[in-house]
Amino acid sequence: MINVSLKTMLDISLEAGREILDIYDNDYSIETKSDGSLLTEADRCSHQIIVERLQGVYEEVPILSEEGSEIPYTQRQHWSRLFLVDPLDGTKEFIRKNGEFTVNIALVEEGYPVVGVIYAPALDVFYFGQSGLGAFKLDAASYADPADDKALIEQSVQLPIADAGNSVNVIASRSHMSEETKVFIEELRNHHAVDVISTGSSLKFCLVAEGKADYYPRYAPTMEWDTAAGQAIVEAAGGTMLRYKDHERFYYNRENLKNGWFLVKRETDSQILSRCD
């Protein structure tokens, strides 16, 4: 794995976040892309900042971003590593002004995310995880100003941190509650007390990493940049993200960038359910 500075990832995320909030607090135009998703000036500005800063520090690592994703697979298939970037995850939440939007950056090596950072500008909270290091949460991130990675980790709290409680906690998308997700929840309710938590963007992964949620079922489409950073953080916190079709670990830089269904878990099913009996 290349030596990625988590402090640098924080600085890049904070810079992008400041630009997003400047636009968030003012009037802005909204466009609809060809796939039906929404686009704002904040998406573009954040993309530009992140790409320029990453290229300035890690010029040898290619970048695949939601706002710059038209790179053919014939070129991408030769990449052994890449940065996967969602410059503004949760554009609908951004437009609704509920604060539940994030900046996502992940380093993917040999198909799997090994470093992930998620910054929620409106909440000023920074989540980060690295394979072999662990997952962490930094509150009031814009005021922290750590000198280096060591100081960043010392100022952060290691995940998971939440008390699991005596119910099964399932997190569902505020914008995308599919019928299959409803069935998943009802099947759990046949045998256990279930609490449903709703939130937007990649904050769903962060709640699993924190221990506030046991399951995050996503039985609806997403794209690679929506999930890579969250997977890295969840896995670094001891959880899993598995494909629905074969229960294998999720991987990236596929020919088709659209994700299949998946299930994120804090622990194994037996650990979760035995805790709640």
mmCIF file with all atom_site columns, all heavy atoms in Angstrom, residues 22 39 61 82 135 137 234 274:
data_model
loop_
_atom_site.group_PDB
_atom_site.id
_atom_site.type_symbol
_atom_site.label_atom_id
_atom_site.label_alt_id
_atom_site.label_comp_id
_atom_site.label_asym_id
_atom_site.label_entity_id
_atom_site.label_seq_id
_atom_site.pdbx_PDB_ins_code
_atom_site.Cartn_x
_atom_site.Cartn_y
_atom_site.Cartn_z
_atom_site.occupancy
_atom_site.B_iso_or_equiv
_atom_site.pdbx_formal_charge
_atom_site.auth_seq_id
_atom_site.auth_comp_id
_atom_site.auth_asym_id
_atom_site.auth_atom_id
_atom_site.pdbx_PDB_model_num
ATOM 1  N N   . ASP A 1 22  ? -19.904 27.245  1.484   1.00 0.00 ? 22  ASP A N   1
ATOM 2  C CA  . ASP A 1 22  ? -20.074 28.587  0.914   1.00 0.00 ? 22  ASP A CA  1
ATOM 3  C C   . ASP A 1 22  ? -21.235 28.610  -0.073  1.00 0.00 ? 22  ASP A C   1
ATOM 4  O O   . ASP A 1 22  ? -22.020 29.556  -0.115  1.00 0.00 ? 22  ASP A O   1
ATOM 5  C CB  . ASP A 1 22  ? -18.791 29.045  0.221   1.00 0.00 ? 22  ASP A CB  1
ATOM 6  C CG  . ASP A 1 22  ? -17.715 29.474  1.204   1.00 0.00 ? 22  ASP A CG  1
ATOM 7  O OD1 . ASP A 1 22  ? -18.053 29.686  2.388   1.00 0.00 ? 22  ASP A OD1 1
ATOM 8  O OD2 . ASP A 1 22  ? -16.547 29.585  0.789   1.00 0.00 ? 22  ASP A OD2 1
ATOM 9  N N   . LEU A 1 39  ? -27.156 17.672  -9.970  1.00 0.00 ? 39  LEU A N   1
ATOM 10 C CA  . LEU A 1 39  ? -25.816 18.253  -9.979  1.00 0.00 ? 39  LEU A CA  1
ATOM 11 C C   . LEU A 1 39  ? -25.915 19.718  -9.593  1.00 0.00 ? 39  LEU A C   1
ATOM 12 O O   . LEU A 1 39  ? -26.780 20.447  -10.089 1.00 0.00 ? 39  LEU A O   1
ATOM 13 C CB  . LEU A 1 39  ? -25.192 18.117  -11.376 1.00 0.00 ? 39  LEU A CB  1
ATOM 14 C CG  . LEU A 1 39  ? -23.811 18.728  -11.584 1.00 0.00 ? 39  LEU A CG  1
ATOM 15 C CD1 . LEU A 1 39  ? -22.759 17.935  -10.818 1.00 0.00 ? 39  LEU A CD1 1
ATOM 16 C CD2 . LEU A 1 39  ? -23.466 18.773  -13.074 1.00 0.00 ? 39  LEU A CD2 1
ATOM 17 N N   . VAL A 1 61  ? -1.021  8.278   -8.895  1.00 0.00 ? 61  VAL A N   1
ATOM 18 C CA  . VAL A 1 61  ? -2.241  7.509   -8.634  1.00 0.00 ? 61  VAL A CA  1
ATOM 19 C C   . VAL A 1 61  ? -3.399  8.124   -9.424  1.00 0.00 ? 61  VAL A C   1
ATOM 20 O O   . VAL A 1 61  ? -3.751  9.285   -9.204  1.00 0.00 ? 61  VAL A O   1
ATOM 21 C CB  . VAL A 1 61  ? -2.586  7.489   -7.137  1.00 0.00 ? 61  VAL A CB  1
ATOM 22 C CG1 . VAL A 1 61  ? -3.837  6.645   -6.894  1.00 0.00 ? 61  VAL A CG1 1
ATOM 23 C CG2 . VAL A 1 61  ? -1.413  6.952   -6.324  1.00 0.00 ? 61  VAL A CG2 1
ATOM 24 N N   . LEU A 1 82  ? -6.076  3.240   -7.347  1.00 0.00 ? 82  LEU A N   1
ATOM 25 C CA  . LEU A 1 82  ? -6.736  4.477   -7.768  1.00 0.00 ? 82  LEU A CA  1
ATOM 26 C C   . LEU A 1 82  ? -7.404  5.121   -6.573  1.00 0.00 ? 82  LEU A C   1
ATOM 27 O O   . LEU A 1 82  ? -7.656  4.465   -5.554  1.00 0.00 ? 82  LEU A O   1
ATOM 28 C CB  . LEU A 1 82  ? -7.785  4.207   -8.851  1.00 0.00 ? 82  LEU A CB  1
ATOM 29 C CG  . LEU A 1 82  ? -9.064  3.464   -8.411  1.00 0.00 ? 82  LEU A CG  1
ATOM 30 C CD1 . LEU A 1 82  ? -10.253 3.897   -9.260  1.00 0.00 ? 82  LEU A CD1 1
ATOM 31 C CD2 . LEU A 1 82  ? -8.876  1.953   -8.506  1.00 0.00 ? 82  LEU A CD2 1
ATOM 32 N N   . ALA A 1 135 ? -10.399 2.335   12.531  1.00 0.00 ? 135 ALA A N   1
ATOM 33 C CA  . ALA A 1 135 ? -11.297 3.399   12.096  1.00 0.00 ? 135 ALA A CA  1
ATOM 34 C C   . ALA A 1 135 ? -11.461 4.409   13.221  1.00 0.00 ? 135 ALA A C   1
ATOM 35 O O   . ALA A 1 135 ? -11.440 4.044   14.407  1.00 0.00 ? 135 ALA A O   1
ATOM 36 C CB  . ALA A 1 135 ? -12.648 2.820   11.692  1.00 0.00 ? 135 ALA A CB  1
ATOM 37 N N   . LYS A 1 137 ? -13.079 8.605   14.468  1.00 0.00 ? 137 LYS A N   1
ATOM 38 C CA  . LYS A 1 137 ? -13.988 9.738   14.280  1.00 0.00 ? 137 LYS A CA  1
ATOM 39 C C   . LYS A 1 137 ? -13.398 10.969  14.941  1.00 0.00 ? 137 LYS A C   1
ATOM 40 O O   . LYS A 1 137 ? -12.946 10.915  16.092  1.00 0.00 ? 137 LYS A O   1
ATOM 41 C CB  . LYS A 1 137 ? -15.358 9.416   14.904  1.00 0.00 ? 137 LYS A CB  1
ATOM 42 C CG  . LYS A 1 137 ? -16.357 10.557  14.839  1.00 0.00 ? 137 LYS A CG  1
ATOM 43 C CD  . LYS A 1 137 ? -17.651 10.182  15.572  1.00 0.00 ? 137 LYS A CD  1
ATOM 44 C CE  . LYS A 1 137 ? -18.674 11.303  15.524  1.00 0.00 ? 137 LYS A CE  1
ATOM 45 N NZ  . LYS A 1 137 ? -19.905 10.958  16.296  1.00 0.00 ? 137 LYS A NZ  1
ATOM 46 N N   . VAL A 1 234 ? -15.839 1.001   7.479   1.00 0.00 ? 234 VAL A N   1
ATOM 47 C CA  . VAL A 1 234 ? -16.559 -0.088  8.161   1.00 0.00 ? 234 VAL A CA  1
ATOM 48 C C   . VAL A 1 234 ? -15.636 -1.284  8.390   1.00 0.00 ? 234 VAL A C   1
ATOM 49 O O   . VAL A 1 234 ? -15.598 -1.862  9.484   1.00 0.00 ? 234 VAL A O   1
ATOM 50 C CB  . VAL A 1 234 ? -17.800 -0.507  7.351   1.00 0.00 ? 234 VAL A CB  1
ATOM 51 C CG1 . VAL A 1 234 ? -18.341 -1.851  7.839   1.00 0.00 ? 234 VAL A CG1 1
ATOM 52 C CG2 . VAL A 1 234 ? -18.882 0.554   7.447   1.00 0.00 ? 234 VAL A CG2 1
ATOM 53 N N   . SER A 1 274 ? -27.609 -12.776 18.916  1.00 0.00 ? 274 SER A N   1
ATOM 54 C CA  . SER A 1 274 ? -27.475 -13.321 20.276  1.00 0.00 ? 274 SER A CA  1
ATOM 55 C C   . SER A 1 274 ? -27.423 -12.199 21.303  1.00 0.00 ? 274 SER A C   1
ATOM 56 O O   . SER A 1 274 ? -27.903 -12.357 22.424  1.00 0.00 ? 274 SER A O   1
ATOM 57 C CB  . SER A 1 274 ? -26.208 -14.185 20.376  1.00 0.00 ? 274 SER A CB  1
ATOM 58 O OG  . SER A 1 274 ? -25.052 -13.405 20.165  1.00 0.00 ? 274 SER A OG  1
#
